[in-house]
Amino acid sequence: MMSSVGVFSLGASEGSSEKIVINVGGVKHETHKSTLMTLPGSRLAQLVDTEEPPSELFFDRHPEVFTHVLQYYRSLKLHCPTNLCGVLLEEEFDFWGISGTDVEPCCWAAFRQNKDAIKASAQIDPSVMENEQSSHKAWQLKIWALFDNPLSSVRAKVIAVVSLFFILLSITAFSLQTHPAINPHQMYVVSADNSSENFIENVSVLPRVLDAVELVCLIWFVFEFVMRAVSCPSKPRFFMNIMNIVDLLALFPWLFQWCSGTYCMQALGFLHVMRCIRILHVFSLMQHVFGVRVLKHTLRASATALCTVPLMLFSCTLIFGTMAYYAEFKHIDFSFIDIPSSCWWAVVTLTTVGYGDMYPITVPGKCVAILCAMVGVLLIILPVPIIVSEFIKFNSLLKTKYSMARKKEKISVHTASSSST
């Protein structure tokens, strides 16, 4: 809204020189100079702080907000309407020279709600395609959409299903290779009539079959990674993405196995874990599903609250572990032999697992256990309201963002069709 200020001198008499008429957006308000001087640093106070103050002022601003601003001059309590956007209120308050921090506690939540929504909306990063699609060729964008966005077309859905199939197939093959019936190195031969040896000969072909399956999976994963890397609009963002790093590391065990033999694979056996972690790639395939995106942004926004849970768990573990140790110290069947073992019991109790391998016997120990269990329940449910509120907020924001994107797309298509005709 354009801000224009008009000053009119109406030749008022000396007796009424203190009365000032303020016209805001066509709505007139009457007040006195002494009222406006209650806030010396504000805009109105600076305008009337003269020997001959103007009798009427005109501002092309929001009239409803000014009603609350003028009331702030009178009562020194700043309230704000709940039917207006908090960002608009902040802009109006800044124009009148009033700090938003002066808003009363009863109106603070409504005043900050929209601003918090804007900050949360800024956390919703646009995709790589949305940022840099204008600087890349059409074929690159089509290939990127095929391998990155399963919802972009039917072919992209087929590729996503194929990728998911190979991921599950590779993990299944990896798991079967550790079974004693398939891995001869882990199989016990106890039969005297050579039946076990015959069984080993029958299953000895399965490792070769599983190796062939892994080779096929390796070819697909290499092909998929290369295609996504070549067609990605932003190479730095692609290689800095955690899931892409996992996909790249997941290829190392196969490459070492097929290039360097079994000994190298045994030396780097810990890399097999990356093949199981590759299951997380399923979530990257589902990142365009609405519910998954809401959950991702919810967890990111709730990271601070979630990080306090381990700290509180650690503190409570030390407290209740020490209390349980000294409460059970003099019992004959002493299970809490030291504070570290007592801390193990405290962790199991706080997390409501309750293995039953350790439990207090004395009355003081049972009292400590009751208190520990109650605190554990509270510790688990405390982050839930924060996560739920963030989920509701991002659910609404993403729905709004998607609806706005569809409207813009429809408008652009309508404009293009109109210009062509």
mmCIF file of all heavy atoms in Angstrom, residues 211 214-215 218 222 248-272 274-275:
data_model
loop_
_atom_site.group_PDB
_atom_site.id
_atom_site.type_symbol
_atom_site.label_atom_id
_atom_site.label_comp_id
_atom_site.label_asym_id
_atom_site.label_seq_id
_atom_site.Cartn_x
_atom_site.Cartn_y
_atom_site.Cartn_z
ATOM 1 N N ASP A 211 25.693 -64.633 -7.136
ATOM 2 C CA ASP A 211 26.701 -63.726 -7.704
ATOM 3 C C ASP A 211 26.230 -63.134 -9.025
ATOM 4 O O ASP A 211 26.455 -61.946 -9.314
ATOM 5 C CB ASP A 211 28.018 -64.477 -7.904
ATOM 6 C CG ASP A 211 28.699 -64.811 -6.584
ATOM 7 O OD1 ASP A 211 28.351 -64.160 -5.563
ATOM 8 O OD2 ASP A 211 29.555 -65.717 -6.569
ATOM 9 N N GLU A 214 23.699 -60.474 -8.268
ATOM 10 C CA GLU A 214 24.357 -59.253 -7.802
ATOM 11 C C GLU A 214 25.023 -58.499 -8.945
ATOM 12 O O GLU A 214 25.054 -57.266 -8.948
ATOM 13 C CB GLU A 214 25.383 -59.593 -6.729
ATOM 14 C CG GLU A 214 24.766 -59.967 -5.392
ATOM 15 C CD GLU A 214 25.769 -59.918 -4.273
ATOM 16 O OE1 GLU A 214 26.980 -59.906 -4.573
ATOM 17 O OE2 GLU A 214 25.351 -59.870 -3.107
ATOM 18 N N LEU A 215 25.562 -59.235 -9.895
ATOM 19 C CA LEU A 215 26.180 -58.573 -11.052
ATOM 20 C C LEU A 215 25.134 -57.814 -11.862
ATOM 21 O O LEU A 215 25.380 -56.682 -12.297
ATOM 22 C CB LEU A 215 26.879 -59.614 -11.933
ATOM 23 C CG LEU A 215 27.549 -59.078 -13.202
ATOM 24 C CD1 LEU A 215 28.602 -58.039 -12.846
ATOM 25 C CD2 LEU A 215 28.146 -60.212 -14.024
ATOM 26 N N LEU A 218 24.288 -54.785 -9.963
ATOM 27 C CA LEU A 218 25.367 -53.804 -10.062
ATOM 28 C C LEU A 218 25.278 -53.028 -11.373
ATOM 29 O O LEU A 218 25.451 -51.801 -11.401
ATOM 30 C CB LEU A 218 26.711 -54.512 -9.949
ATOM 31 C CG LEU A 218 27.947 -53.650 -10.204
ATOM 32 C CD1 LEU A 218 28.053 -52.547 -9.163
ATOM 33 C CD2 LEU A 218 29.213 -54.501 -10.222
ATOM 34 N N VAL A 222 24.771 -48.974 -11.469
ATOM 35 C CA VAL A 222 25.753 -48.109 -12.134
ATOM 36 C C VAL A 222 25.083 -47.303 -13.234
ATOM 37 O O VAL A 222 25.314 -46.091 -13.390
ATOM 38 C CB VAL A 222 26.920 -48.949 -12.686
ATOM 39 C CG1 VAL A 222 27.837 -48.081 -13.540
ATOM 40 C CG2 VAL A 222 27.715 -49.571 -11.542
ATOM 41 N N LEU A 248 26.486 -44.123 -4.038
ATOM 42 C CA LEU A 248 27.840 -44.302 -4.564
ATOM 43 C C LEU A 248 28.655 -45.256 -3.701
ATOM 44 O O LEU A 248 29.353 -46.147 -4.216
ATOM 45 C CB LEU A 248 28.530 -42.932 -4.647
ATOM 46 C CG LEU A 248 29.943 -42.925 -5.243
ATOM 47 C CD1 LEU A 248 29.917 -43.446 -6.681
ATOM 48 C CD2 LEU A 248 30.535 -41.521 -5.191
ATOM 49 N N LEU A 249 28.558 -45.117 -2.376
ATOM 50 C CA LEU A 249 29.289 -46.019 -1.484
ATOM 51 C C LEU A 249 28.766 -47.442 -1.563
ATOM 52 O O LEU A 249 29.521 -48.404 -1.338
ATOM 53 C CB LEU A 249 29.206 -45.499 -0.042
ATOM 54 C CG LEU A 249 29.913 -44.173 0.246
ATOM 55 C CD1 LEU A 249 29.712 -43.763 1.705
ATOM 56 C CD2 LEU A 249 31.401 -44.271 -0.071
ATOM 57 N N ALA A 250 27.489 -47.589 -1.862
ATOM 58 C CA ALA A 250 26.911 -48.937 -1.955
ATOM 59 C C ALA A 250 27.471 -49.718 -3.135
ATOM 60 O O ALA A 250 27.361 -50.957 -3.172
ATOM 61 C CB ALA A 250 25.391 -48.842 -2.072
ATOM 62 N N LEU A 251 28.069 -49.027 -4.098
ATOM 63 C CA LEU A 251 28.659 -49.716 -5.242
ATOM 64 C C LEU A 251 30.047 -50.265 -4.946
ATOM 65 O O LEU A 251 30.524 -51.152 -5.657
ATOM 66 C CB LEU A 251 28.741 -48.759 -6.445
ATOM 67 C CG LEU A 251 27.420 -48.169 -6.950
ATOM 68 C CD1 LEU A 251 27.693 -47.179 -8.070
ATOM 69 C CD2 LEU A 251 26.486 -49.265 -7.422
ATOM 70 N N PHE A 252 30.717 -49.758 -3.911
ATOM 71 C CA PHE A 252 32.092 -50.165 -3.630
ATOM 72 C C PHE A 252 32.245 -51.651 -3.334
ATOM 73 O O PHE A 252 33.174 -52.285 -3.851
ATOM 74 C CB PHE A 252 32.657 -49.333 -2.477
ATOM 75 C CG PHE A 252 32.998 -47.932 -2.871
ATOM 76 C CD1 PHE A 252 33.306 -46.985 -1.916
ATOM 77 C CD2 PHE A 252 33.020 -47.554 -4.205
ATOM 78 C CE1 PHE A 252 33.621 -45.685 -2.268
ATOM 79 C CE2 PHE A 252 33.329 -46.261 -4.578
ATOM 80 C CZ PHE A 252 33.637 -45.318 -3.610
ATOM 81 N N PRO A 253 31.394 -52.280 -2.500
ATOM 82 C CA PRO A 253 31.597 -53.717 -2.246
ATOM 83 C C PRO A 253 31.551 -54.557 -3.509
ATOM 84 O O PRO A 253 32.361 -55.469 -3.689
ATOM 85 C CB PRO A 253 30.434 -54.066 -1.301
ATOM 86 C CG PRO A 253 30.082 -52.777 -0.636
ATOM 87 C CD PRO A 253 30.312 -51.729 -1.677
ATOM 88 N N TRP A 254 30.602 -54.279 -4.395
ATOM 89 C CA TRP A 254 30.527 -55.033 -5.635
ATOM 90 C C TRP A 254 31.765 -54.794 -6.512
ATOM 91 O O TRP A 254 32.319 -55.724 -7.078
ATOM 92 C CB TRP A 254 29.270 -54.636 -6.405
ATOM 93 C CG TRP A 254 28.022 -55.252 -5.888
ATOM 94 C CD1 TRP A 254 27.762 -56.575 -5.703
ATOM 95 C CD2 TRP A 254 26.845 -54.560 -5.474
ATOM 96 N NE1 TRP A 254 26.495 -56.761 -5.204
ATOM 97 C CE2 TRP A 254 25.906 -55.540 -5.056
ATOM 98 C CE3 TRP A 254 26.470 -53.231 -5.414
ATOM 99 C CZ2 TRP A 254 24.642 -55.224 -4.593
ATOM 100 C CZ3 TRP A 254 25.214 -52.912 -4.962
ATOM 101 C CH2 TRP A 254 24.311 -53.892 -4.550
ATOM 102 N N LEU A 255 32.178 -53.523 -6.599
ATOM 103 C CA LEU A 255 33.335 -53.224 -7.441
ATOM 104 C C LEU A 255 34.589 -53.908 -6.914
ATOM 105 O O LEU A 255 35.396 -54.449 -7.687
ATOM 106 C CB LEU A 255 33.528 -51.705 -7.512
ATOM 107 C CG LEU A 255 32.412 -50.911 -8.210
ATOM 108 C CD1 LEU A 255 32.695 -49.429 -8.139
ATOM 109 C CD2 LEU A 255 32.277 -51.362 -9.656
ATOM 110 N N PHE A 256 34.779 -53.915 -5.598
ATOM 111 C CA PHE A 256 35.931 -54.599 -5.029
ATOM 112 C C PHE A 256 35.839 -56.110 -5.231
ATOM 113 O O PHE A 256 36.839 -56.779 -5.463
ATOM 114 C CB PHE A 256 36.051 -54.272 -3.536
ATOM 115 C CG PHE A 256 36.711 -52.956 -3.269
ATOM 116 C CD1 PHE A 256 35.991 -51.898 -2.755
ATOM 117 C CD2 PHE A 256 38.055 -52.775 -3.540
ATOM 118 C CE1 PHE A 256 36.588 -50.684 -2.511
ATOM 119 C CE2 PHE A 256 38.667 -51.557 -3.299
ATOM 120 C CZ PHE A 256 37.939 -50.509 -2.785
ATOM 121 N N GLN A 257 34.637 -56.648 -5.146
ATOM 122 C CA GLN A 257 34.466 -58.085 -5.300
ATOM 123 C C GLN A 257 34.767 -58.526 -6.727
ATOM 124 O O GLN A 257 35.442 -59.519 -6.949
ATOM 125 C CB GLN A 257 33.048 -58.494 -4.916
ATOM 126 C CG GLN A 257 32.801 -59.998 -5.007
ATOM 127 C CD GLN A 257 31.395 -60.377 -4.578
ATOM 128 O OE1 GLN A 257 30.553 -59.510 -4.384
ATOM 129 N NE2 GLN A 257 31.149 -61.669 -4.436
ATOM 130 N N TRP A 258 34.254 -57.765 -7.684
ATOM 131 C CA TRP A 258 34.420 -58.164 -9.076
ATOM 132 C C TRP A 258 35.782 -57.755 -9.648
ATOM 133 O O TRP A 258 36.206 -58.296 -10.665
ATOM 134 C CB TRP A 258 33.305 -57.573 -9.927
ATOM 135 C CG TRP A 258 31.967 -58.148 -9.599
ATOM 136 C CD1 TRP A 258 30.992 -57.600 -8.820
ATOM 137 C CD2 TRP A 258 31.463 -59.424 -10.003
ATOM 138 N NE1 TRP A 258 29.917 -58.428 -8.704
ATOM 139 C CE2 TRP A 258 30.169 -59.576 -9.435
ATOM 140 C CE3 TRP A 258 31.974 -60.459 -10.792
ATOM 141 C CZ2 TRP A 258 29.399 -60.707 -9.626
ATOM 142 C CZ3 TRP A 258 31.191 -61.586 -10.993
ATOM 143 C CH2 TRP A 258 29.925 -61.705 -10.414
ATOM 144 N N CYS A 259 36.466 -56.837 -8.995
ATOM 145 C CA CYS A 259 37.750 -56.361 -9.513
ATOM 146 C C CYS A 259 38.954 -56.888 -8.742
ATOM 147 O O CYS A 259 40.037 -57.014 -9.297
ATOM 148 C CB CYS A 259 37.788 -54.836 -9.512
ATOM 149 S SG CYS A 259 36.521 -54.091 -10.551
ATOM 150 N N SER A 260 38.751 -57.183 -7.429
ATOM 151 C CA SER A 260 39.902 -57.509 -6.596
ATOM 152 C C SER A 260 39.809 -58.875 -5.938
ATOM 153 O O SER A 260 40.720 -59.264 -5.224
ATOM 154 C CB SER A 260 40.078 -56.438 -5.511
ATOM 155 O OG SER A 260 40.215 -55.172 -6.112
ATOM 156 N N GLY A 261 38.711 -59.592 -6.087
ATOM 157 C CA GLY A 261 38.618 -60.918 -5.522
ATOM 158 C C GLY A 261 38.032 -60.936 -4.133
ATOM 159 O O GLY A 261 37.719 -59.918 -3.535
ATOM 160 N N THR A 262 37.945 -62.156 -3.587
ATOM 161 C CA THR A 262 37.279 -62.357 -2.310
ATOM 162 C C THR A 262 38.072 -61.787 -1.160
ATOM 163 O O THR A 262 37.518 -61.273 -0.189
ATOM 164 C CB THR A 262 37.052 -63.862 -2.081
ATOM 165 O OG1 THR A 262 36.373 -64.405 -3.201
ATOM 166 C CG2 THR A 262 36.226 -64.100 -0.816
ATOM 167 N N TYR A 263 39.396 -61.852 -1.197
ATOM 168 C CA TYR A 263 40.206 -61.400 -0.068
ATOM 169 C C TYR A 263 39.989 -59.916 0.201
ATOM 170 O O TYR A 263 39.864 -59.483 1.347
ATOM 171 C CB TYR A 263 41.678 -61.675 -0.349
ATOM 172 C CG TYR A 263 42.589 -61.191 0.747
ATOM 173 C CD1 TYR A 263 42.727 -61.913 1.942
ATOM 174 C CD2 TYR A 263 43.306 -60.000 0.611
ATOM 175 C CE1 TYR A 263 43.552 -61.464 2.959
ATOM 176 C CE2 TYR A 263 44.118 -59.551 1.621
ATOM 177 C CZ TYR A 263 44.252 -60.292 2.791
ATOM 178 O OH TYR A 263 45.073 -59.831 3.785
ATOM 179 N N CYS A 264 39.938 -59.137 -0.857
ATOM 180 C CA CYS A 264 39.714 -57.700 -0.678
ATOM 181 C C CYS A 264 38.331 -57.439 -0.109
ATOM 182 O O CYS A 264 38.155 -56.530 0.697
ATOM 183 C CB CYS A 264 39.902 -56.986 -2.014
ATOM 184 S SG CYS A 264 39.817 -55.186 -1.915
ATOM 185 N N MET A 265 37.383 -58.262 -0.522
ATOM 186 C CA MET A 265 36.038 -58.086 0.018
ATOM 187 C C MET A 265 35.995 -58.385 1.506
ATOM 188 O O MET A 265 35.317 -57.725 2.276
ATOM 189 C CB MET A 265 35.054 -58.989 -0.719
ATOM 190 C CG MET A 265 34.483 -58.389 -1.986
ATOM 191 S SD MET A 265 33.581 -56.873 -1.668
ATOM 192 C CE MET A 265 32.284 -57.521 -0.654
ATOM 193 N N GLN A 266 36.744 -59.403 1.930
ATOM 194 C CA GLN A 266 36.773 -59.707 3.348
ATOM 195 C C GLN A 266 37.460 -58.598 4.132
ATOM 196 O O GLN A 266 37.072 -58.282 5.249
ATOM 197 C CB GLN A 266 37.476 -61.043 3.573
ATOM 198 C CG GLN A 266 36.707 -62.236 3.019
ATOM 199 C CD GLN A 266 37.474 -63.535 3.173
ATOM 200 O OE1 GLN A 266 38.654 -63.517 3.520
ATOM 201 N NE2 GLN A 266 36.808 -64.655 2.900
ATOM 202 N N ALA A 267 38.500 -58.020 3.539
ATOM 203 C CA ALA A 267 39.196 -56.930 4.227
ATOM 204 C C ALA A 267 38.324 -55.700 4.345
ATOM 205 O O ALA A 267 38.441 -54.921 5.292
ATOM 206 C CB ALA A 267 40.490 -56.594 3.481
ATOM 207 N N LEU A 268 37.420 -55.512 3.400
ATOM 208 C CA LEU A 268 36.528 -54.347 3.427
ATOM 209 C C LEU A 268 35.083 -54.796 3.628
ATOM 210 O O LEU A 268 34.157 -54.274 3.023
ATOM 211 C CB LEU A 268 36.668 -53.551 2.118
ATOM 212 C CG LEU A 268 38.051 -52.960 1.850
ATOM 213 C CD1 LEU A 268 38.101 -52.355 0.468
ATOM 214 C CD2 LEU A 268 38.417 -51.926 2.892
ATOM 215 N N GLY A 269 34.911 -55.786 4.483
ATOM 216 C CA GLY A 269 33.581 -56.342 4.693
ATOM 217 C C GLY A 269 32.603 -55.364 5.299
ATOM 218 O O GLY A 269 31.389 -55.503 5.124
ATOM 219 N N PHE A 270 33.128 -54.367 6.010
ATOM 220 C CA PHE A 270 32.217 -53.404 6.631
ATOM 221 C C PHE A 270 31.435 -52.613 5.595
ATOM 222 O O PHE A 270 30.380 -52.045 5.899
ATOM 223 C CB PHE A 270 33.006 -52.452 7.523
ATOM 224 C CG PHE A 270 33.929 -51.534 6.783
ATOM 225 C CD1 PHE A 270 33.513 -50.272 6.405
ATOM 226 C CD2 PHE A 270 35.219 -51.936 6.461
ATOM 227 C CE1 PHE A 270 34.356 -49.418 5.724
ATOM 228 C CE2 PHE A 270 36.071 -51.081 5.777
ATOM 229 C CZ PHE A 270 35.638 -49.824 5.409
ATOM 230 N N LEU A 271 31.926 -52.549 4.362
ATOM 231 C CA LEU A 271 31.205 -51.816 3.329
ATOM 232 C C LEU A 271 29.915 -52.514 2.925
ATOM 233 O O LEU A 271 29.073 -51.933 2.244
ATOM 234 C CB LEU A 271 32.096 -51.634 2.087
ATOM 235 C CG LEU A 271 33.246 -50.637 2.236
ATOM 236 C CD1 LEU A 271 34.078 -50.614 0.968
ATOM 237 C CD2 LEU A 271 32.729 -49.250 2.550
ATOM 238 N N HIS A 272 29.764 -53.797 3.333
ATOM 239 C CA HIS A 272 28.507 -54.477 3.046
ATOM 240 C C HIS A 272 27.326 -53.771 3.703
ATOM 241 O O HIS A 272 26.189 -53.896 3.241
ATOM 242 C CB HIS A 272 28.570 -55.921 3.550
ATOM 243 C CG HIS A 272 29.278 -56.845 2.605
ATOM 244 N ND1 HIS A 272 28.815 -57.115 1.337
ATOM 245 C CD2 HIS A 272 30.417 -57.561 2.749
ATOM 246 C CE1 HIS A 272 29.628 -57.962 0.742
ATOM 247 N NE2 HIS A 272 30.622 -58.253 1.578
ATOM 248 N N MET A 274 26.694 -50.733 3.646
ATOM 249 C CA MET A 274 26.177 -49.728 2.742
ATOM 250 C C MET A 274 25.147 -50.323 1.794
ATOM 251 O O MET A 274 24.239 -49.624 1.345
ATOM 252 C CB MET A 274 27.313 -49.086 1.936
ATOM 253 C CG MET A 274 28.405 -48.457 2.797
ATOM 254 S SD MET A 274 27.762 -47.289 4.006
ATOM 255 C CE MET A 274 26.949 -46.112 2.962
ATOM 256 N N ARG A 275 25.257 -51.629 1.509
ATOM 257 C CA ARG A 275 24.278 -52.255 0.625
ATOM 258 C C ARG A 275 22.916 -52.343 1.306
ATOM 259 O O ARG A 275 21.882 -52.256 0.644
ATOM 260 C CB ARG A 275 24.777 -53.635 0.226
ATOM 261 C CG ARG A 275 26.033 -53.572 -0.623
ATOM 262 C CD ARG A 275 26.801 -54.876 -0.582
ATOM 263 N NE ARG A 275 26.104 -55.935 -1.291
ATOM 264 C CZ ARG A 275 26.631 -57.156 -1.493
ATOM 265 N NH1 ARG A 275 27.835 -57.421 -1.029
ATOM 266 N NH2 ARG A 275 25.946 -58.070 -2.124
#
